Amino acid sequence: MLDVSTAEKKDILSLELPQLKQVLEANGEKGFRAKQIFEWLHKRRVMSFDDMTNISLELRKKLSERFYIENIHAVRRLKSDIDDTEKFLFELSDGNHVETVLMSYEHGDSLCVSTQVGCKMGCKFCASTIAGFKRSLKASEILLQLYEAERVSGRKVSSIVLMGIGEPLDNYDNVLSFLNILSSESGTNMSLRHVSLSTCGIVDRIKDLSKLGLGLTLSISLHATNDKKRSELMPINQRYNISELMSACHDYFDATGRRISFEYALIDGENDSEADAKALAELTGGMPSHINIIPVNKIKERSYTSSRAAAVRFSKRLNDLGVNATVRRTLGADIDAACGQLRREYEI
Ligand code: SAH
């Protein structure tokens, strides 16, 4: 190839507006060009410098010599016959794959994006871990899941959950750039009040996030009520135990005023006892929160099971104890919409 290799060029889609301005100015360009270019990339979402028609030919040429525009493309698109759920398997430019799920709710369409190729966290019930960890996604690759899902489906996404493959707080810097670009007035301009970040509980990063005071909803994957069981199901608990995690949640609420959301995958005989219900009520009692009960999704490598009826019973029991709990609606059941499974089948 005659062109300068992509490796030497900068990924322009991952640059936040102030960073883009800085790079341009350092190269002798006018700062206001940054906003124009940023809008072409993130509002108009062009895929080539040639399309930036209010930028001089000379600057477009310079841009294409120093930068490249990242791209991803859907290699599979599954549409549910029971609801409006669509699932995409995206191929990244290095040949890796991630999954993205578009769901329809009363309040609008919501997109579940991946933040890493695979995951290091090792949760026992999770398909993303079994398929292995390859690398973290760049900000551009998280943004492109939104841009491509909207372009291909023709639908407009009104909220985003960082709940796909990967642990967002294990890719902290890139996820923050993603959030900054997503919420930029010169970009998609999505309020972070419409974004939820789901984490297995990397307490130090939750503390960092609290300090930023973003409007983001924090969603904690709790899944067990005592350290013995949680450490068994989720290795991260050996590093940060439940009491440290809950204390970080309290601080997050105090700093942001945002209600904490807890995920609880119910597993028969593992975390569904009366003692678990009581412990959950106690753990979450002191702060405004909501618990999502999810009957564990079967994955073929594990024998964990549950049922919707069991989840409803457990949730009712929590309600009796004064806890704000509901059973998560199942969407896209016919297309295996839960994340992690498609990538694994595709890559193995
Ligand atoms: N790493 C982040 C986000 C990705 S996982 C986290 O841990 O929160 C998204 C959610 O799906 C998490 O709550 C995770 O615990 C849950 N999950 C993973 N595998 C599951 C399964 N088999 N059944 C039900 N929930 C599962």
Side-chain angles (χ1 to χ4, degrees):
M1 211 160 58
L2 286 172
D3 204 354
V4 189
S5 89
T6 303
E8 291 167 32
K9 296 186 187 183
K10 256 187 174 323
D11 167 16
I12 196 167
L13 270 184
S14 287
L15 294 180
E16 297 173 35
L17 182 52
Q19 296 169 331
L20 181 60
K21 189 162 177 265
Q22 210 174 24
V23 180
L24 289 178
E25 283 174 347
N27 283 287
E29 302 298 336
K30 297 263 188 306
F32 74 89
R33 293 281 174 214
K35 186 162 178 280
Q36 291 178 323
I37 296 167
F38 191 91
E39 286 182 350
W40 279 114
L41 294 169
H42 299 287
K43 250 195 210 321
R44 314 280 289 266
R45 301 179 181 175
V46 297
M47 294 180 220
S48 158
F49 294 110
D50 293 336
D51 294 334
M52 301 182 173
T53 47
N54 63 352
I55 306 290
S56 72
L57 273 176
E58 195 196 339
L59 179 54
R60 278 188 249 163
K61 184 164 173 288
K62 277 195 201 159
L63 287 173
S64 63
E65 283 163 4
R66 289 200 193 108
F67 300 99
Y68 68 98
I69 303 178
E70 190 55 88
N71 69 85
I72 67 174
H73 68 279
V75 286
R76 285 185 71 183
R77 178 183 177 198
L78 305 177
K79 280 176 144 184
S80 169
D81 289 329
I82 5 183
D83 50 55
D84 288 331
T85 306
E86 290 187 45
K87 181 165 181 166
F88 300 91
L89 183 71
F90 285 119
E91 188 164 296
L92 310 176
S93 50
D94 66 354
N96 276 308
H97 296 95
V98 291
E99 293 171 36
T100 307
V101 184
L102 180 56
M103 296 159 289
S104 163
Y105 290 96
E106 262 168 41
H107 54 78
D109 282 353
S110 180
L111 193 71
C112 176
V113 297
S114 295
T115 54
Q116 296 181 312
V117 183
C119 188
K120 292 182 222 159
M121 297 299 123
C123 298
K124 288 286 184 302
F125 44 80
C126 182
S128 301
T129 270
I130 292 168
F133 176 79
K134 290 266 178 62
R135 66 173 176 86
S136 284
L137 296 189
K138 299 180 293 181
S140 57
E141 294 168 319
I142 312 176
L143 289 159
L144 282 166
Q145 294 172 59
L146 167 68
Y147 300 174
E148 278 302 285
E150 284 196 334
R151 194 180 64 78
V152 172
S153 69
R155 288 160 67 175
K156 174 94 186 100
V157 169
S158 54
S159 63
I160 291 190
V161 291
L162 289 100
M163 221 183 244
I165 298 173
E167 168 50 48
L169 296 186
D170 185 41
N171 185 15
Y172 189 78
D173 293 342
N174 293 339
V175 163
L176 269 193
S177 287
F178 159 75
L179 294 172
N180 286 335
I181 297 171
L182 176 76
S183 58
S184 167
E185 272 180 25
S186 305
T188 304
N189 198 14
M190 185 182 286
S191 160
L192 294 184
R193 294 194 157 255
H194 297 149
V195 179
S196 292
L197 182 151
S198 180
T199 176
C200 63
I202 303 186
V203 167
D204 288 335
R205 295 288 89 75
I206 296 175
K207 288 181 182 164
D208 292 341
L209 209 54
S210 298
K211 288 185 203 128
L212 300 178
L214 307 172
L216 210 61
T217 297
L218 191 61
S219 189
I220 302 288
S221 299
L222 190 58
H223 305 322
T225 59
N226 60 73
D227 283 323
K228 184 168 178 291
K229 180 56 72 183
R230 193 164 191 270
S231 294
E232 196 181 299
L233 294 173
M234 304 177 70
I236 189 70
N237 198 72
Q238 295 160 24
R239 172 89 169 79
Y240 304 106
N241 65 25
I242 294 180
S243 110
E244 289 170 288
L245 177 59
M246 296 312 288
S247 147
C249 289
H250 275 279
D251 293 348
Y252 188 86
F253 174 74
D254 288 344
T256 64
R258 303 292 286 163
R259 182 176 86 159
I260 308 285
S261 169
F262 291 96
E263 308 294 310
Y264 198 86
L266 201 68
I267 313 175
D268 289 347
E270 295 281 334
N271 61 2
D272 60 346
S273 68
E274 173 65 17
D276 286 315
K278 286 189 172 140
L280 261 181
E282 207 153 290
L283 281 172
T284 60
M287 77 186 109
S289 59
H290 172 259
I291 307 187
N292 261 314
I293 307 293
I294 315 144
V296 74
N297 259 305
K298 273 203 191 90
I299 54 171
K300 51 178 185 263
E301 290 82 355
R302 305 272 186 258
S303 55
Y304 297 137
T305 54
S306 185
S307 64
R308 196 160 179 86
V312 170
R313 269 197 309 276
F314 193 74
S315 168
K316 287 222 171 94
R317 180 66 192 121
L318 288 173
N319 295 155
D320 290 344
L321 293 165
V323 177
N324 180 12
T326 48
V327 178
R328 158 100 41 93
R329 248 176 86 202
T330 308
L331 289 173
D334 55 334
I335 55 168
D336 235 351
C339 261
Q341 316 214 9
L342 194 57
R343 168 185 169 238
R344 199 190 36 175
E345 277 163 23
Y346 199 83
E347 297 209 335
I348 286 173

PDB file of all heavy atoms in Angstrom, residues 230-243:
ATOM      1  N   ARG A 230     -20.601 -14.040  46.662  1.00  0.00           N
ATOM      2  CA  ARG A 230     -20.267 -13.086  45.591  1.00  0.00           C
ATOM      3  C   ARG A 230     -18.848 -13.338  45.063  1.00  0.00           C
ATOM      4  O   ARG A 230     -18.601 -13.276  43.866  1.00  0.00           O
ATOM      5  CB  ARG A 230     -20.426 -11.629  46.082  1.00  0.00           C
ATOM      6  CG  ARG A 230     -20.411 -10.625  44.923  1.00  0.00           C
ATOM      7  CD  ARG A 230     -20.939  -9.246  45.301  1.00  0.00           C
ATOM      8  NE  ARG A 230     -21.133  -8.424  44.105  1.00  0.00           N
ATOM      9  CZ  ARG A 230     -20.210  -7.637  43.579  1.00  0.00           C
ATOM     10  NH1 ARG A 230     -19.024  -7.533  44.153  1.00  0.00           N
ATOM     11  NH2 ARG A 230     -20.461  -6.952  42.472  1.00  0.00           N
ATOM     12  N   SER A 231     -17.924 -13.669  45.976  1.00  0.00           N
ATOM     13  CA  SER A 231     -16.554 -13.939  45.526  1.00  0.00           C
ATOM     14  C   SER A 231     -16.509 -15.191  44.653  1.00  0.00           C
ATOM     15  O   SER A 231     -15.697 -15.293  43.735  1.00  0.00           O
ATOM     16  CB  SER A 231     -15.621 -14.119  46.716  1.00  0.00           C
ATOM     17  OG  SER A 231     -15.508 -12.904  47.418  1.00  0.00           O
ATOM     18  N   GLU A 232     -17.403 -16.131  44.972  1.00  0.00           N
ATOM     19  CA  GLU A 232     -17.456 -17.368  44.192  1.00  0.00           C
ATOM     20  C   GLU A 232     -17.980 -17.078  42.771  1.00  0.00           C
ATOM     21  O   GLU A 232     -17.434 -17.557  41.791  1.00  0.00           O
ATOM     22  CB  GLU A 232     -18.440 -18.278  44.930  1.00  0.00           C
ATOM     23  CG  GLU A 232     -18.437 -19.725  44.595  1.00  0.00           C
ATOM     24  CD  GLU A 232     -19.539 -20.388  45.450  1.00  0.00           C
ATOM     25  OE1 GLU A 232     -19.454 -20.328  46.706  1.00  0.00           O
ATOM     26  OE2 GLU A 232     -20.496 -20.931  44.850  1.00  0.00           O
ATOM     27  N   LEU A 233     -19.010 -16.248  42.686  1.00  0.00           N
ATOM     28  CA  LEU A 233     -19.617 -15.946  41.381  1.00  0.00           C
ATOM     29  C   LEU A 233     -18.853 -14.864  40.619  1.00  0.00           C
ATOM     30  O   LEU A 233     -18.779 -14.887  39.389  1.00  0.00           O
ATOM     31  CB  LEU A 233     -21.073 -15.465  41.561  1.00  0.00           C
ATOM     32  CG  LEU A 233     -22.099 -16.457  42.090  1.00  0.00           C
ATOM     33  CD1 LEU A 233     -23.427 -15.740  42.350  1.00  0.00           C
ATOM     34  CD2 LEU A 233     -22.311 -17.593  41.098  1.00  0.00           C
ATOM     35  N   MET A 234     -18.300 -13.898  41.373  1.00  0.00           N
ATOM     36  CA  MET A 234     -17.672 -12.729  40.743  1.00  0.00           C
ATOM     37  C   MET A 234     -16.308 -12.474  41.380  1.00  0.00           C
ATOM     38  O   MET A 234     -16.217 -11.878  42.459  1.00  0.00           O
ATOM     39  CB  MET A 234     -18.568 -11.491  40.927  1.00  0.00           C
ATOM     40  CG  MET A 234     -19.976 -11.688  40.392  1.00  0.00           C
ATOM     41  SD  MET A 234     -21.036 -10.260  40.705  1.00  0.00           S
ATOM     42  CE  MET A 234     -20.339  -9.033  39.615  1.00  0.00           C
ATOM     43  N   PRO A 235     -15.233 -12.875  40.712  1.00  0.00           N
ATOM     44  CA  PRO A 235     -13.891 -12.739  41.294  1.00  0.00           C
ATOM     45  C   PRO A 235     -13.534 -11.314  41.730  1.00  0.00           C
ATOM     46  O   PRO A 235     -12.733 -11.138  42.647  1.00  0.00           O
ATOM     47  CB  PRO A 235     -12.965 -13.202  40.160  1.00  0.00           C
ATOM     48  CG  PRO A 235     -13.818 -14.086  39.306  1.00  0.00           C
ATOM     49  CD  PRO A 235     -15.218 -13.592  39.426  1.00  0.00           C
ATOM     50  N   ILE A 236     -14.129 -10.297  41.125  1.00  0.00           N
ATOM     51  CA  ILE A 236     -13.819  -8.908  41.493  1.00  0.00           C
ATOM     52  C   ILE A 236     -14.106  -8.673  42.980  1.00  0.00           C
ATOM     53  O   ILE A 236     -13.497  -7.810  43.616  1.00  0.00           O
ATOM     54  CB  ILE A 236     -14.623  -7.894  40.624  1.00  0.00           C
ATOM     55  CG1 ILE A 236     -14.165  -6.444  40.819  1.00  0.00           C
ATOM     56  CG2 ILE A 236     -16.116  -7.973  40.874  1.00  0.00           C
ATOM     57  CD1 ILE A 236     -12.834  -6.103  40.279  1.00  0.00           C
ATOM     58  N   ASN A 237     -15.014  -9.482  43.555  1.00  0.00           N
ATOM     59  CA  ASN A 237     -15.380  -9.301  44.965  1.00  0.00           C
ATOM     60  C   ASN A 237     -14.220  -9.652  45.911  1.00  0.00           C
ATOM     61  O   ASN A 237     -14.198  -9.233  47.058  1.00  0.00           O
ATOM     62  CB  ASN A 237     -16.613 -10.144  45.304  1.00  0.00           C
ATOM     63  CG  ASN A 237     -17.280  -9.679  46.575  1.00  0.00           C
ATOM     64  OD1 ASN A 237     -17.895  -8.622  46.593  1.00  0.00           O
ATOM     65  ND2 ASN A 237     -17.129 -10.435  47.653  1.00  0.00           N
ATOM     66  N   GLN A 238     -13.249 -10.427  45.392  1.00  0.00           N
ATOM     67  CA  GLN A 238     -12.082 -10.750  46.220  1.00  0.00           C
ATOM     68  C   GLN A 238     -11.201  -9.510  46.366  1.00  0.00           C
ATOM     69  O   GLN A 238     -10.406  -9.402  47.290  1.00  0.00           O
ATOM     70  CB  GLN A 238     -11.301 -11.903  45.588  1.00  0.00           C
ATOM     71  CG  GLN A 238     -12.113 -13.198  45.583  1.00  0.00           C
ATOM     72  CD  GLN A 238     -11.607 -14.210  44.569  1.00  0.00           C
ATOM     73  OE1 GLN A 238     -10.449 -14.180  44.168  1.00  0.00           O
ATOM     74  NE2 GLN A 238     -12.485 -15.099  44.135  1.00  0.00           N
ATOM     75  N   ARG A 239     -11.319  -8.587  45.444  1.00  0.00           N
ATOM     76  CA  ARG A 239     -10.533  -7.351  45.481  1.00  0.00           C
ATOM     77  C   ARG A 239     -11.296  -6.247  46.228  1.00  0.00           C
ATOM     78  O   ARG A 239     -10.733  -5.547  47.046  1.00  0.00           O
ATOM     79  CB  ARG A 239     -10.240  -6.941  44.032  1.00  0.00           C
ATOM     80  CG  ARG A 239      -9.613  -5.613  43.826  1.00  0.00           C
ATOM     81  CD  ARG A 239      -8.080  -5.731  43.865  1.00  0.00           C
ATOM     82  NE  ARG A 239      -7.461  -4.505  43.405  1.00  0.00           N
ATOM     83  CZ  ARG A 239      -7.334  -3.415  44.163  1.00  0.00           C
ATOM     84  NH1 ARG A 239      -7.776  -3.406  45.389  1.00  0.00           N
ATOM     85  NH2 ARG A 239      -6.746  -2.340  43.664  1.00  0.00           N
ATOM     86  N   TYR A 240     -12.580  -6.090  45.917  1.00  0.00           N
ATOM     87  CA  TYR A 240     -13.428  -5.076  46.571  1.00  0.00           C
ATOM     88  C   TYR A 240     -14.657  -5.789  47.113  1.00  0.00           C
ATOM     89  O   TYR A 240     -15.475  -6.273  46.323  1.00  0.00           O
ATOM     90  CB  TYR A 240     -13.894  -4.018  45.562  1.00  0.00           C
ATOM     91  CG  TYR A 240     -12.793  -3.304  44.807  1.00  0.00           C
ATOM     92  CD1 TYR A 240     -12.560  -3.598  43.473  1.00  0.00           C
ATOM     93  CD2 TYR A 240     -12.021  -2.316  45.429  1.00  0.00           C
ATOM     94  CE1 TYR A 240     -11.571  -2.922  42.759  1.00  0.00           C
ATOM     95  CE2 TYR A 240     -11.030  -1.641  44.715  1.00  0.00           C
ATOM     96  CZ  TYR A 240     -10.811  -1.949  43.388  1.00  0.00           C
ATOM     97  OH  TYR A 240      -9.842  -1.284  42.681  1.00  0.00           O
ATOM     98  N   ASN A 241     -14.789  -5.856  48.444  1.00  0.00           N
ATOM     99  CA  ASN A 241     -15.910  -6.616  48.984  1.00  0.00           C
ATOM    100  C   ASN A 241     -17.216  -5.810  48.981  1.00  0.00           C
ATOM    101  O   ASN A 241     -17.242  -4.640  48.605  1.00  0.00           O
ATOM    102  CB  ASN A 241     -15.576  -7.177  50.374  1.00  0.00           C
ATOM    103  CG  ASN A 241     -15.367  -6.061  51.384  1.00  0.00           C
ATOM    104  OD1 ASN A 241     -15.894  -4.961  51.221  1.00  0.00           O
ATOM    105  ND2 ASN A 241     -14.611  -6.349  52.432  1.00  0.00           N
ATOM    106  N   ILE A 242     -18.298  -6.488  49.402  1.00  0.00           N
ATOM    107  CA  ILE A 242     -19.630  -5.878  49.308  1.00  0.00           C
ATOM    108  C   ILE A 242     -19.707  -4.581  50.118  1.00  0.00           C
ATOM    109  O   ILE A 242     -20.285  -3.594  49.674  1.00  0.00           O
ATOM    110  CB  ILE A 242     -20.727  -6.880  49.748  1.00  0.00           C
ATOM    111  CG1 ILE A 242     -20.785  -8.051  48.758  1.00  0.00           C
ATOM    112  CG2 ILE A 242     -22.091  -6.197  49.854  1.00  0.00           C
ATOM    113  CD1 ILE A 242     -21.818  -9.116  49.073  1.00  0.00           C
ATOM    114  N   SER A 243     -19.092  -4.586  51.308  1.00  0.00           N
ATOM    115  CA  SER A 243     -19.247  -3.375  52.121  1.00  0.00           C
ATOM    116  C   SER A 243     -18.502  -2.183  51.484  1.00  0.00           C
ATOM    117  O   SER A 243     -19.003  -1.050  51.499  1.00  0.00           O
ATOM    118  CB  SER A 243     -18.867  -3.670  53.573  1.00  0.00           C
ATOM    119  OG  SER A 243     -17.702  -3.049  53.921  1.00  0.00           O
TER     120      SER A 243
END
